[in-house]
Amino acid sequence: MAPVDLRIAVIFLFQIVTGTAGNLALLGHYCILYFSGCRSRPTDVILRHLIVANLLVILSRGIPETMAAFGLQNFLSDVGCKLVFYVHRVGRGVSMGSTCLLSVFQAITISPRSSRWAELKRKALKFIGLSNILCWGLHMLLNVRVPMLMSDKGNNGNSTKTIDFQYCSATLPDKEKGSLFAVLIISHDILCLALMIWASGSMVFILFRHKQRVQHLHRYSSRRSSPETRASQSVLILVSAFVFFYALSSALHVLFSFHYEGTWWLVTTSVISNACFPTARPSILMSRECSLCRLIKKN
């Protein structure tokens, strides 16, 4: 057995327990509302897909990394390694894509009925289900190359450019093929990030305009922030957390390309950072949803 690192094991266990409990609680909440006959919002469909993607990100790598931190080695077969990393990459991509879709559709939803987006609001909400299906299909195709690069520890071949994950290994691709693959992934991520920032900025602007129109109603409660302010703060918190963890994850992926050996700390930090946002997201989403749902009814 490999040396046991209790600190890393505790961190992974904390993320697994906290993230799984939070996402399952949120998923149960929406399922109860759905089966009880309560009127659900169109964006609730995106949230259910987002929660499933979060669980895939947390569990697919969290469980193997925890086992490795407890000293276990070679507990995954070649097929298991390919499946674990493929599921993790698809879950991460869908999580990012669903967050982007949620921001865009919410920006459209809270737009005033009298605005030029009114017609777009009626049309866009019809395509939410199709958008989720396309999101899953797109990331299954984008990450189809991941299983080809993964293998168990006894199947490394003669390649010297490998990344050791303790329980699996990854063969680094040739520069030309790897660059093309990286460009596709990065282009998608940048597009999602840009759309999310634009949608979040639009929501903050709409909420600010709404606050100005009803400012006289909030004068009696000057000590307490207005619903528009709380909603804007939750939007900004979500975007800031998303950008921070995405930037950290991207920086770690760049470092992977320069370190072929001795990358244990990079691997561990990357997995922890990838799971941080899906773990914290349920609480952020709940605070954001509670603030926005009140304002959606007014528009």
Side-chain angles (χ1 to χ4, degrees):
M1 290 182 64
V4 177
D5 194 328
L6 289 178
R7 292 172 298 178
I8 299 299
V10 169
I11 292 174
F12 282 125
L13 282 175
F14 176 78
Q15 284 189 326
I16 291 172
V17 173
T18 306
T20 302
N23 281 281
L24 286 179
L26 195 57
L27 181 62
H29 169 72
Y30 288 113
C31 289
I32 289 173
L33 291 178
Y34 176 79
F35 288 111
S36 62
C38 295
R39 183 182 177 184
S40 60
R41 290 165 298 153
T43 51
D44 288 350
V45 177
I46 301 178
L47 284 166
R48 289 193 286 268
H49 284 268
L50 177 57
I51 292 167
V52 172
N54 288 343
L55 289 172
L56 291 180
V57 173
I58 294 169
L59 297 176
S60 60
R61 288 288 301 280
I63 293 176
E65 290 290 344
T66 303
M67 296 172 67
F70 277 118
L72 298 177
Q73 288 183 321
N74 303 326
F75 51 84
L76 282 178
S77 64
D78 189 60
V79 175
C81 287
K82 297 178 186 299
L83 183 62
V84 162
F85 281 82
Y86 179 69
V87 169
H88 180 264
R89 291 298 304 180
V90 171
R92 180 182 180 276
V94 173
S95 179
M96 175 177 288
S98 297
T99 303
C100 175
L101 285 175
L102 181 63
S103 297
V104 171
F105 280 112
Q106 282 185 332
I108 295 173
T109 301
I110 69 171
S111 60
R113 291 191 179 93
S114 58
S115 71
R116 58 186 177 181
W117 283 26
E119 184 64 25
L120 178 61
K121 182 189 296 190
R122 289 192 292 269
K123 292 181 179 180
L125 297 180
K126 298 178 181 178
F127 295 98
I128 287 182
L130 178 61
S131 299
N132 282 292
I133 295 173
L134 290 177
C135 185
W136 282 98
L138 174 64
H139 289 97
M140 287 179 180
L141 290 175
L142 280 176
N143 294 287
V144 71
R145 198 159 181 261
V146 172
M148 302 176 189
L149 303 176
M150 301 306 305
S151 62
D152 60 3
K153 293 294 292 293
N155 230 346
N156 291 334
N158 296 323
S159 176
T160 57
K161 295 182 178 181
T162 61
I163 299 177
D164 185 6
F165 293 95
Q166 297 190 49
Y167 51 91
C168 294
S169 62
T171 302
L172 294 178
D174 297 334
K175 288 187 177 180
E176 293 182 1
K177 296 180 180 179
S179 298
L180 178 61
F181 182 69
V183 166
L184 290 174
I185 298 295
I186 293 173
S187 299
H188 164 269
D189 291 355
I190 292 175
L191 177 61
C192 285
L193 192 62
L195 285 173
M196 184 178 176
I197 293 174
W198 167 79
S200 299
S202 300
M203 280 190 281
V204 172
F205 177 74
I206 293 170
L207 293 171
F208 175 74
R209 294 288 299 272
H210 184 272
K211 179 184 177 181
Q212 285 185 322
R213 289 196 299 268
V214 299
Q215 192 171 9
H216 64 283
L217 298 176
H218 300 307
R219 289 176 182 172
Y220 70 94
S221 57
S222 56
R223 293 183 179 179
R224 185 181 179 185
S225 60
S226 65
E228 293 82 6
T229 301
R230 293 194 296 272
S232 299
Q233 289 172 348
S234 63
V235 169
L236 293 174
I237 289 172
L238 180 64
V239 175
S240 301
F242 183 88
V243 171
F244 172 76
F245 286 114
Y246 170 76
L248 178 59
S249 177
S250 299
L252 291 172
H253 276 85
V254 171
L255 287 175
F256 273 133
S257 62
F258 295 102
H259 294 272
Y260 303 135
E261 297 179 356
T263 58
W264 176 84
W265 69 272
L266 281 176
V267 172
T268 303
T269 307
S270 176
V271 178
I272 292 174
S273 64
N274 283 335
C276 278
F277 193 54
T279 299
R281 186 176 283 163
S283 58
I284 298 175
L285 281 175
M286 285 302 293
S287 63
R288 181 186 183 185
E289 291 296 301
C290 291
S291 301
L292 286 176
C293 65
R294 300 188 188 97
L295 296 169
I296 289 173
K297 296 176 182 179
K298 300 178 183 179
N299 295 292

